[in-house]
Amino acid sequence: MTFIQNIIDFILHIDEHLVEIIKNFGGWSYGILFLIVFVETGVVIFPFLPGDSLLFASGALAAMGAFNIVLLLIIFFTAAVIGDTVNYHIGRKVGTTISNRSFMGKLINQEKMQKAEDFFNKHGGKTIVIARFMPFIRTFIPFVAGASRMNYRYFLIYNVAGAALWVGICTILGYFFGNIPIIKDNFSTVLLAIIFVSVLPAIIGVIRGKLKKG
């Protein structure tokens, strides 16, 4: 529980934690941001790491001069593309038919994996772009795409497009709006709203599925 609480605290107070990271690591902070985004998008067992909120908060700090906005965009974009690419190849190698009793099967959230697979089967390639804005789902979709033997060149096009949109929108929004007094004073609430909006498509999908079954 302590680990989960620490993750939640990091997400809800990510602006404060980023300031601490900058103070302690200086220029190496860019490397840490790269690593967080890469792991969140590229390692299927870490879907709970901050994504949208990290981009938004970093953009807000860039507006204050803590980061170079152009370098920040390049680093986030590169991490997102490489992360999805690695995840795709992992999925292509091991597939989604992982035993629940296996070590990896225990680490992967099978319910979220199944939802991602259903989502992918329904929406096809564009899922890779849409999923960028959906926490948890975005970590599983590249894995499912690889396991489904999706053509890599086809996957790469959606990967690059999705990364550009996700990084551009979330970071630029933070850059221009993150330091508006009302937003800055209620930063945790804003981050929760961002996360809620991000998962809204998944919630709607679940509700529609249940209504159809009913």
Side-chain angles (χ1 to χ4, degrees):
M1 285 299 292
T2 302
F3 178 73
I4 296 175
Q5 289 172 350
N6 288 337
I7 290 293
I8 294 173
D9 177 73
F10 184 81
I11 294 173
L12 295 182
H13 302 94
I14 198 166
D15 54 330
E16 298 173 11
H17 291 294
L18 282 176
V19 171
E20 292 177 8
I21 289 173
I22 294 168
K23 287 181 179 178
N24 293 327
F25 298 98
W28 289 101
S29 300
Y30 289 105
I32 294 172
L33 295 181
F34 176 94
L35 188 62
I36 293 174
V37 172
F38 169 76
V39 172
E40 195 258 354
T41 57
V43 183
V44 74
I45 61 173
F46 290 109
F48 47 78
L49 291 176
D52 309 318
S53 56
L54 177 67
L55 269 57
F56 186 86
S58 298
L61 289 175
M64 298 171 61
F67 294 115
N68 179 296
I69 185 62
V70 175
L71 183 56
L72 198 62
L73 288 168
I74 292 173
I75 285 175
F76 280 148
F77 172 76
T78 304
V81 171
I82 294 176
D84 262 26
T85 300
V86 170
N87 209 343
Y88 168 90
H89 286 294
I90 293 174
R92 192 175 181 87
K93 185 173 181 62
V94 304
T96 55
T97 56
I98 301 172
S99 171
N100 290 337
R101 296 182 179 180
S102 68
F103 176 72
M104 192 167 183
K106 291 178 181 178
L107 292 176
I108 294 175
N109 187 316
Q110 296 293 333
E111 182 181 352
K112 293 290 192 304
M113 175 67 77
Q114 186 59 52
K115 287 181 180 179
E117 190 170 355
D118 294 341
F119 195 79
F120 179 79
N121 291 335
K122 181 178 180 181
H123 298 286
K126 63 183 179 181
T127 304
I128 297 162
V129 176
I130 299 171
R132 283 289 188 182
F133 298 89
M134 301 168 68
F136 288 93
I137 296 294
R138 70 166 154 261
T139 305
F140 293 111
I141 286 297
F143 185 90
V144 172
S148 301
R149 293 289 193 264
M150 180 180 185
N151 181 278
Y152 178 67
R153 291 185 180 179
Y154 189 53
F155 167 81
L156 186 60
I157 292 172
Y158 284 108
N159 180 13
V160 171
L165 287 171
W166 180 54
V167 169
I169 291 173
C170 292
T171 309
I172 294 300
L173 281 176
Y175 185 79
F176 285 109
F177 300 105
N179 289 300
I180 293 175
I182 190 170
I183 294 178
K184 191 174 181 180
D185 294 339
N186 299 278
F187 208 78
S188 295
T189 304
V190 171
L191 293 181
L192 282 173
I194 291 172
I195 294 170
F196 174 75
V197 171
S198 298
V199 301
L200 193 57
I203 295 173
I204 293 174
V206 171
I207 293 174
R208 284 179 176 176
K210 289 185 176 180
L211 288 175
K212 287 181 179 179
K213 289 180 180 179

